[in-house]
Structure formats: C-alpha cells, structure tokens
Amino acid sequence: MTDGDSNLPIIERKLGLQIWNIENMKMVPVPEKAYGAFFEGDCYVILHNKRTSHGIATDLHYWIGKDSTQDEQGAAALYVIQMDDVLGGNPVQHREVQGHESETFQSYFRNGIIYKKGGVASGFRHVETNMYNIKRLLHVKGKKHISATEVELSWNSFNKGDVFLLDLGKVLIQWNGPNCNIAEKSRVTLARSIRDSERGGRAQIGIIDNEKDSPDLMQIMKMVLGERQVSAQPDCFMALSFSVYEKDNDLVVQEIATRPLTQDLLQHEDCHILDQGGFKIYVWRGKLSSQEEKKTAFSRALGFIQAKGYPPSTNIEVINDGAESAMFKQLFQKWTEKEETQGLGKAYSTGKIAKVEQVKFDITQLHARPELAAEQRMVDDASGEVQVWRIEDLHMKPVDPKKYGQFYGGDCYLVLYTYMRSGRPHYVLYMWQGRHASVDEITACALNAVELDKKYGDEAVQVRVTMGKEPTHFLAIFKGKLIIYEGGTSRGQTSMPEPTIRLFQVRGTDEMNTKATEVPARASSLNSNDVFLLATSQVCYLWCGKGCSGDEREMAKMVADVVSRRDKLTISEGQEPAEFWEALGGKAPYASEKRFQERNTHYQPRLFECSNQTGRFIMTEVVGFCQEDLDEDDVMLLDTWGEIFLWVGKSSNVYERNEAIASAKEYLKTHPAGRDLATPIILVKQGYEPLNFTGWFNAWDPYKWSVISSEYKTHLNHSDSNIYSNSNCNSSPSPTSNGEGIYSREVLMNKTVDELPEGVDPAKKEYYLSDADFHDIFGKSKYEFYQMPKWKQQNEKKQYGLF
C-alpha cells in the first residue's frame, strides 16, 4: 500500500515488524536480519502490527539516534504523520529517543537492541549476514530488555558490574563482570542473536565468568585489547488530563482533571494531553479536531514537556479518537466502545441493579486451557481438601466442619485449601478478614498465616480476602453454601443474642459461584434481579425477584437449609403477604431498574518488576510479558484488574518483598482508574504458581525453574574456559521433550552427563520422567519419592540407572 502524494514506500498489511531507515530524507527498508540494530547517527520509522481480541492493533514509532541531525528527525516525524493518514488514523504514534525507549518499543526486540557507531552520513549501512571482518566491543545492559552500545575498543571501557561482548566476527567473547548477578551472567541471548542473524550461525561463542578459569579466552582478549594496565573500575501511576489549544499563537495548557479519569472528559472537538507523572505523555486527538491540530500533536507534546521541565527523552504516544490502545484505555475508570451498552452508575447504587450475566463454565477445561483458569480465577475444580481456623485470643482454633462456609464479620479466619497436581500437593492459604474484626485479630491472622505457611514448607499461595470481595475459587470450595454474616462471631461463648430477623441476598447459579450475604433487614435492601432469604422466628421466606433465574432459585433453596431450620415459603415479587413486609419494617422503594456490569472490560494484564538493585526501590513495567520475564532475583507484580499477584523470586531479598506488598497497596490507591482498594492481593512463590496465575502467561512451562538452574550449572561447568561452536552442537541428533521438560525413559536411563539432553540436571534425571513413567519405574509418585531420606533416593536411582 502506498500514498501517491508522498514519498512513502510500500507498507505491507502484515503482522509483526517493518523498519525503515531515513536516508537522504527518504525511507529505506532495513533488512529483517538487521532488526534490532540502530546506528546512533540515524533516525528510523518502525511499524508494528499485532492481533488482539478486538482486531489488529498498530503502533508507529520514530526513533532518534543521539547523533542524528534535526533534518532527519523532522523527516522521520513527518513520515509517521503521513503513514498515520494512509493507515486510516488507527495507529498509536510514539516518539523514541536512544537510550530511553519505551517498554513497548523494547518488547519488539527480545534478543536485545544494539546501538552502532556512525550512520548513513558516515557511509555505514545495514548489512546482510556472514560478515566476519568486524572488530568491536559492546557494552551490554539491562535485565528484562537488553541493549548494547558500541564503545571504545579498550580495557578502559570495562567495569566490574556489567557484561561486555567482544565481537571479532568469527568469535564472540562475553565477559561477565565479577559483580554481575546471576540473571545478567546467564544472558547469552545477544551473542546468540548476532551469531545467528549476522553470521549465519557460523560464529563461535565463549563466555568468561572468572578470568583465572578462562586463560585461552583471556589470551584472545589481550591480543585484541593489549595488556591491561589497571583493573576494571567499577511512580509512575498518577495521570493528569490537560486540554491543549492555541491562543494568540501561544500554546495554552489547561488542567481539567486528576483522578479518577473518566471517558467523558475527552471531548471529540479537542486535543488532550495525559501526563503520566512525567513518565509518559499521551496526546489524544479528537476526531472532530482540525487537521492542523492533529498535525501538530508531536510539537504540542514537545512544547508541553519543555513547559513542565521534563527531560527531552520523555516518551510520547499520540492516540487517535476511536483507535485507543489498551494501555491508554486502562488509565480510565471505565471505557465503553460505541457499540457497547452504557452503564448507569456505580455498583449497588440506590435504584439501580448490579446484574451480571452468569455464563456456565466448564471447569474441566482449566488444565487444558490455563488461560481460562486465569480468566475465571480458579486454580482447580475446587474438589480438594478444606481446613478452616478462626482467630480466637490471637491463636488459631479449628472450626467445626459442619460450620464450614459460615463467616462472621466480627471474626478473622484462615482457610487452607489443598489440591493435587503432578502427583504432589499444592496449597492455597486464604486469610479472610471480617469487616468488624479488631486490628489485633487482623494482625494475628497474618502472623498465624506465616506460621501455617512454614508448616507446609513455605509453598502456599497466600490470598488476602476482604469481606465481601471473596474470589471465585473461594466461593467454589464451599460448594454453594458460603454465607457471610454482617456482624457477630461464631465463637461459642459470645453473650450477644442473634437477631430474630435476618435478610440474605443470594447470588449464583451453581455450586461454583454462589454466595449468600447478609444485608440490612429492610425493604430497601431488596433487588429485583436476585433471590433473598428472610429468616424470621416462625418461617423462612424465599423471595424471588422478577429478574432471577431458575438456577438462582435452586441455589437459594440449598442455602436456606443452612440459614434457617424453619419451614420454607417461596414467594414471588409482587405476591408478598403482609407478614413479609411487617418483618422488614414496612414497604419501601428498592432497586428495580436494570443496570449492566461496571468493569473495565478492556483491561489488559500488566506485569511489573519490583527491584532495589539500583539502590532504591523501583517498579518497571514489562510489556508483552512471558514466563521468561519472571526474574528469580526480584519480586514481580501482575495486575489482572480483579486481582493483584505478587510473585516472589527465590533469590529476591527481604526488602523487596516487604516493599512490594506496600507498593501493591499504593499501586491500587494511586491508579488513575480509581481502583477498588479491597482488590485481593495474592502472594505467589516461585515454583508453586497456581493455575489462575500461570493462565495469564502464554505457554507456561511448569518445569522451567529446575531446568533453568541446571542449565546455569552446566553453563558454568563447561563453557567458562572453552570456545564452543553451536553449529557443531546442532550437527548431532538432539532428543526432544514433549514441550514441558519431560523426556522418555530411554533418553534418561543409563546415560552419561554428555549423553543427556541439553538442560537436564544430571543429579536429577528422575525429575524429567513423566508421572506415568516415574510411577512405573519406582512404584511410587514423585511426591512420595522426595519424602524419602536422601540415601534411600540415591539407592533407588542407582538401582534403575538414574543416578
């Protein structure tokens, strides 16, 4: 597709990346093999298309090298504007500055970004593969997103805390500084990427972790760099909305809102700037604004940045009315598309009904489709074992199993749920906090949870549950008999008499999603779309609103048997006897108008890295995240709107863990969409992730953590002092797994270290057997095996050729 009135090249309607370099003020396509390499003296235009649930999402970036000219920068910006017109005004536009690229931009280059010296003006060009006449030194930085800058070919360029890559064409040597952490040392993706994309796979890679252990590689480095004379030396949530217009040739910026941001603030006749605390600037262009206003979007954003005193490298995104990105939409409390029905207010507003359409969910699909587990917030089918304790005198007291599912607002409870997966138990520990519980009880609940977690090997997923905000799985484990009493306690010695009249609102269509909640016993609490139970000293009424379904009525009957032992009397809305209204203190208006679900349905899950490795605690977003982005040195925050997960890496420090919990609460408090502060915060430990967490990740590998550690050990043992050729490795047949780190017994039994598949820990061969093979060989499950003393494990492994 081209634009006849411009110098635009052919733009293909395809998914993925297309990149152009600005040469002599024209766009010249960059070879795909060179994607990810950028000359510091040039500017680039980048087009990215990806498929989403709402169609194709398009992003347009122009990238500014630190040594590029003003003319090149202006040309790149102009081409982006022209391409936006050709593409129907749908793309989101970004301005990128070298060294300060947005998370979205960096996510395109999983193997890293390389900044090359020079550019078009100095005669450099992007080249194809198999170039060996090269001698350069790259300074590699970054954990989640790797970037490499070409630096002076000298020992003076090195420091002890980073990774450096000496590129000699046919040989690539990665030098890991002695102060690097494990995650940085294991980053060999950039070297592999250069070998595969620029050298056609025919270069050799060597790694230096300890100079004394790598004399051959050090000799090569000294030949190139000379003898070394001296040793190497060592909030982003707040959003403000501004209206921007010109007056007497001056740019006028007027603040119109802070938080929560609502969609109606965006007027189609105007352009708006959203300032995300100086972290990112969004320019929203109304569809009825003038062409001149639309064309000056970037210049207005730059003027705004200067007026606010922000650094010139601040990220800018230009958003078109009707083509908003998911990231932009989730800054708002609620976002409604044109074709969607408008909501009529907040949940539980007087005179309006919160009616959510219940969809039957096949629980058996959870394991086959982990993404469903995430969407439905279920770790399993709720068929596991349940244990409940009440916090009494600051200690745990077991609750009578006959009372399971009955929670009182004056108490705190611990609920331990145990379920089996891959032949071993997994645990979810719920901390339910009553609305009227004392501060001491809430604190004791948290402390007892820690102790209980220790008892089960620190393997439990911890879920803080605020009264009234019970997650789906919590409802399911009580099989349709979850009852929340507003106040009081379930303690036997209480002196407070129970109310003679109680009213319960019942919601749910089956055993997996039903909950009865006590509400004030008056007529104004009723809701035409639900079933209510009115328990009196003589009878228990089942009041069925006009909008309730048959399934809801059946579930209410089940709950009624728990709430009251009196006779049950079913009545329909409009057919109530006088005694019914008398028990409620007389007739009164109640919610009887239809309202739709209030929720940001366009919210995309977001992952943040929580780290203090720079000396201060920061949260960095990971765009387009996957399991690889979960760093065992850090704590990660996953925001799925309905829940906040804190994933704790096994090597994270105590400070990061403590700060992450506080930051999760602050994150909710300062989110521009005005988030619910009672949103559950769930603590997940590395290696014990439940399905409702892993389902948010594409192609989750449940065996990754053990494989990663063994890969790293193998890497340290075998590649420190040797240059090895990957092309040689590939020439021999490699046994394959089933995609989940599982291998057949023939590949593992009676094999030497060198005969094992890459990544298999030779000290744990049995771990890579399937559950069926394991049981067939050892006559027991993996869980039972690992409960045995070490010496017994070793003897059995020797017996079966797996030692």
Side-chain angles (χ1 to χ4, degrees):
M1 183 179 66
T2 59
D3 184 348
D5 299 326
S6 70
N7 294 319
L8 290 180
I10 293 174
I11 303 171
E12 296 182 50
R13 293 279 195 180
K14 65 177 184 179
L15 296 177
L17 274 178
Q18 295 174 68
I19 302 178
W20 296 268
N21 193 1
I22 304 299
E23 292 187 17
N24 300 321
M25 302 302 130
K26 292 185 178 179
M27 289 173 62
V28 177
V30 173
E32 278 193 41
K33 300 271 176 126
Y35 283 7
F38 297 88
F39 284 111
E40 295 179 328
D42 289 345
C43 290
Y44 295 80
V45 173
I46 297 93
L47 173 68
H48 183 258
N49 290 315
K50 70 175 179 181
R51 192 181 305 281
T52 71
S53 57
H54 301 287
I56 303 297
T58 303
D59 288 270
L60 264 176
H61 306 253
Y62 74 95
W63 184 91
I64 299 172
K66 69 181 181 69
D67 298 326
S68 61
T69 66
Q70 288 290 331
D71 287 345
E72 289 171 326
Q73 294 176 23
L78 182 62
Y79 279 127
V80 164
I81 293 170
Q82 291 177 353
M83 289 176 71
D84 180 62
D85 288 339
V86 170
L87 295 169
N90 290 320
V92 175
Q93 300 172 41
H94 310 254
R95 173 179 174 268
E96 309 285 355
V97 178
Q98 178 183 338
H100 302 275
E101 291 87 354
S102 66
E103 298 283 341
T104 301
F105 183 88
Q106 293 179 71
S107 71
Y108 303 150
F109 308 101
R110 282 281 174 186
N111 292 324
I113 297 172
I114 299 177
Y115 305 129
K116 293 186 174 183
K117 287 186 178 298
V120 172
S122 53
F124 290 95
R125 292 287 189 279
H126 286 285
V127 293
E128 290 289 351
T129 58
N130 306 338
M131 297 298 294
Y132 300 111
N133 187 23
I134 286 174
K135 190 185 289 185
R136 63 179 176 176
L137 180 65
L138 298 174
H139 182 188
V140 183
K141 294 185 74 67
K143 288 171 63 183
K144 292 292 172 292
H145 301 299
I146 302 171
S147 65
T149 306
E150 192 172 338
V151 293
E152 182 188 357
L153 202 63
S154 163
W155 285 113
N156 294 330
S157 299
F158 285 71
N159 68 65
K160 293 182 179 180
D162 288 327
V163 173
F164 290 81
L165 187 63
L166 181 62
D167 183 1
L168 302 175
K170 292 186 178 180
V171 176
L172 294 157
I173 301 176
Q174 179 172 316
W175 182 91
N176 295 329
N179 296 339
C180 288
N181 60 39
I182 289 176
E184 290 170 324
K185 287 182 179 181
S186 61
R187 294 284 188 188
V188 291
T189 52
L190 182 64
R192 289 172 181 160
S193 175
I194 293 172
R195 177 197 65 198
D196 296 340
S197 62
E198 295 186 21
R199 311 293 147 76
R202 287 186 283 274
Q204 295 178 317
I205 299 172
I207 299 172
I208 300 175
D209 275 320
N210 186 325
E211 293 183 359
K212 292 180 181 177
D213 296 336
S214 309
D216 296 340
L217 294 178
M218 285 304 299
Q219 186 61 34
I220 295 173
M221 291 191 73
K222 288 174 183 176
M223 287 172 59
V224 176
L225 302 171
E227 289 292 333
R228 186 164 43 190
Q229 301 302 314
V230 292
S231 60
Q233 301 297 318
D235 144 86
C236 66
F237 309 117
M238 197 64 179
L240 304 175
S241 179
F242 298 85
S243 178
V244 185
Y245 57 92
E246 290 180 359
K247 183 178 181 181
D248 300 328
N249 295 323
D250 291 327
L251 184 73
V252 178
V253 180
Q254 179 182 358
E255 184 175 330
I256 59 173
T258 53
R259 55 179 296 274
L261 297 181
T262 54
Q263 191 178 355
D264 58 2
L265 294 170
L266 301 175
Q267 299 297 312
H268 299 297
E269 300 81 11
D270 296 329
C271 287
H272 292 268
I273 286 178
L274 263 74
D275 176 8
Q276 205 171 0
F279 169 72
K280 180 181 282 186
I281 303 297
Y282 292 94
V283 182
W284 182 85
R285 306 189 302 189
K287 63 179 64 175
L288 300 181
S289 60
S290 68
Q291 281 299 114
E292 191 60 32
E293 286 178 312
K294 291 176 181 174
K295 286 182 179 178
T296 57
F298 272 118
S299 61
R300 288 186 168 191
L302 289 170
F304 178 84
I305 287 172
Q306 292 170 356
K308 299 287 285 187
Y310 294 149
S313 57
T314 302
N315 288 138
I316 298 172
E317 274 192 26
V318 176
I319 304 282
N320 290 314
D321 187 355
E324 294 83 359
S325 65
M327 292 295 292
F328 181 81
K329 292 172 183 174
Q330 60 199 30
L331 293 173
F332 292 78
Q333 191 171 50
K334 184 178 187 295
W335 190 275
T336 306
E337 301 289 6
K338 276 188 308 187
E339 65 275 10
E340 292 180 346
T341 307
Q342 292 279 347
L344 301 175
K346 301 274 188 185
Y348 307 109
S349 297
T350 304
K352 301 183 179 67
I353 295 172
K355 182 63 178 178
V356 181
E357 193 64 33
Q358 298 286 352
V359 180
K360 283 283 186 182
F361 171 59
D362 183 2
I363 204 78
T364 60
Q365 294 186 49
L366 283 178
H367 292 277
R369 296 180 57 197
E371 70 276 11
L372 280 179
E375 290 169 9
Q376 300 293 329
R377 312 192 192 283
M378 297 284 285
V379 301
D380 73 336
D381 61 1
S383 62
E385 181 188 347
V386 179
Q387 293 172 270
V388 184
W389 295 267
R390 182 179 58 254
I391 301 302
E392 191 169 321
D393 297 327
L394 308 187
H395 296 289
M396 293 165 52
K397 183 173 182 179
V399 171
D400 182 350
K402 294 178 181 176
K403 299 283 188 181
Y404 280 8
Q406 299 180 43
F407 292 83
Y408 288 79
D411 286 334
C412 286
Y413 298 83
L414 288 174
V415 179
L416 180 67
Y417 180 75
T418 307
Y419 64 105
M420 301 299 290
R421 201 168 92 201
S422 301
R424 57 180 297 270
H426 288 65
Y427 309 99
V428 181
L429 181 56
Y430 292 103
M431 296 166 279
W432 191 90
Q433 301 171 359
R435 188 178 292 122
H436 308 293
S438 68
V439 174
D440 287 346
E441 286 171 329
I442 292 173
T443 304
C445 185
L447 292 175
N448 279 283
V450 171
E451 292 304 313
L452 193 57
D453 188 20
K454 284 181 183 175
K455 183 179 175 182
Y456 289 90
D458 287 324
E459 296 181 7
V461 174
Q462 297 179 32
V463 186
R464 178 183 67 107
V465 180
T466 303
M467 177 176 169
K469 291 288 178 180
E470 293 77 15
T472 308
H473 187 259
F474 190 83
L475 271 62
I477 64 178
F478 293 108
K479 305 292 186 290
K481 295 183 179 179
L482 178 62
I483 301 167
I484 309 297
Y485 293 90
E486 174 58 30
T489 175
S490 56
R491 302 176 197 183
Q493 74 274 23
T494 179
S495 58
M496 293 197 50
E498 289 199 2
T500 55
I501 297 175
R502 281 188 138 142
L503 183 64
F504 297 87
Q505 184 175 27
V506 183
R507 284 189 171 174
T509 56
D510 57 36
E511 289 188 355
M512 307 300 286
N513 61 18
T514 297
K515 175 175 71 171
T517 306
E518 185 174 10
V519 293
R522 53 176 181 262
S524 58
S525 298
L526 298 175
N527 181 315
S528 289
N529 279 285
D530 293 319
V531 180
F532 285 78
L533 302 176
L534 178 61
T536 70
S537 55
Q538 286 84 35
V539 69
C540 180
Y541 295 100
L542 275 75
W543 184 87
C544 303
K546 291 176 180 176
C548 74
S549 69
D551 288 338
E552 288 170 325
R553 286 194 289 271
E554 289 305 309
M555 292 312 301
K557 290 176 183 177
M558 182 189 296
V559 176
D561 289 331
V562 181
V563 166
S564 174
R565 296 180 182 176
R566 306 292 179 189
D567 290 340
K568 311 301 184 295
L569 178 61
T570 301
I571 56 175
S572 299
E573 182 178 5
Q575 306 295 319
E576 304 87 355
E579 294 79 14
F580 176 84
W581 296 117
E582 287 174 11
L584 292 175
K587 287 187 178 182
Y590 56 84
S592 56
E593 298 173 20
K594 194 162 188 178
R595 196 189 69 83
F596 293 88
Q597 183 176 11
E598 276 287 340
R599 189 191 162 195
N600 193 338
T601 54
H602 295 278
Y603 196 84
Q604 299 292 318
R606 303 173 72 182
L607 183 70
F608 296 87
E609 176 189 29
C610 309
S611 173
N612 74 330
Q613 291 188 358
T614 60
R616 63 190 181 91
F617 184 83
I618 56 173
M619 287 177 63
T620 308
E621 182 160 11
V622 182
V623 176
F625 62 83
C626 64
Q627 187 180 3
E628 291 290 328
D629 295 314
L630 297 175
D631 195 322
E632 64 183 40
D633 289 332
D634 293 324
V635 174
M636 312 292 292
L637 183 149
L638 178 66
D639 177 11
T640 67
W641 187 270
E643 293 163 333
I644 300 288
F645 291 94
L646 286 175
W647 180 90
V648 181
K650 67 179 181 184
S651 301
S652 61
N653 58 52
V654 174
Y655 180 81
E656 287 171 343
R657 298 179 195 187
N658 292 340
E659 283 299 308
I661 293 169
S663 294
K665 295 176 181 177
E666 187 66 16
Y667 173 85
L668 287 170
K669 191 183 298 181
T670 59
H671 197 287
R675 298 283 288 278
D676 189 339
L677 300 184
T679 299
I681 298 174
I682 301 173
L683 198 66
V684 175
K685 300 183 186 71
Q686 179 181 345
Y688 303 99
E689 297 85 358
L691 278 175
N692 58 333
F693 175 84
T694 62
W696 296 107
F697 295 80
N698 187 37
W700 179 271
D701 177 6
Y703 298 94
K704 171 179 166 57
W705 308 126
S706 61
V707 173
I708 279 183
S709 60
S710 63
E711 277 183 344
Y712 184 59
K713 287 176 191 168
T714 306
H715 154 67
L716 289 180
N717 292 336
H718 295 95
S719 64
D720 280 1
S721 56
N722 299 296
I723 301 175
Y724 58 92
S725 169
N726 196 66
S727 56
N728 292 340
C729 295
N730 289 342
S731 62
S732 59
S734 173
T736 57
S737 78
N738 68 351
E740 295 184 341
I742 300 296
Y743 295 87
S744 68
R745 62 178 77 189
E746 292 78 17
V747 170
L748 299 169
M749 295 174 73
N750 301 307
K751 299 293 182 184
T752 65
V753 171
D754 294 332
E755 293 172 326
L756 289 172
E758 184 180 351
V760 168
D761 187 345
K764 277 193 168 183
K765 297 179 192 175
E766 78 285 354
Y767 187 87
Y768 302 86
L769 291 166
S770 69
D771 289 343
D773 278 351
F774 191 101
H775 200 281
D776 188 43
I777 294 168
F778 290 95
K780 57 179 72 70
S781 70
K782 288 181 181 178
Y783 176 70
E784 291 167 330
F785 178 81
Y786 289 123
Q787 297 299 305
M788 289 166 37
K790 272 275 191 230
W791 64 269
K792 277 193 175 181
Q793 293 181 29
Q794 306 287 35
N795 285 345
E796 291 201 13
K797 284 160 67 171
K798 288 176 184 176
Q799 182 182 344
Y800 298 113
L802 288 161
F803 184 71

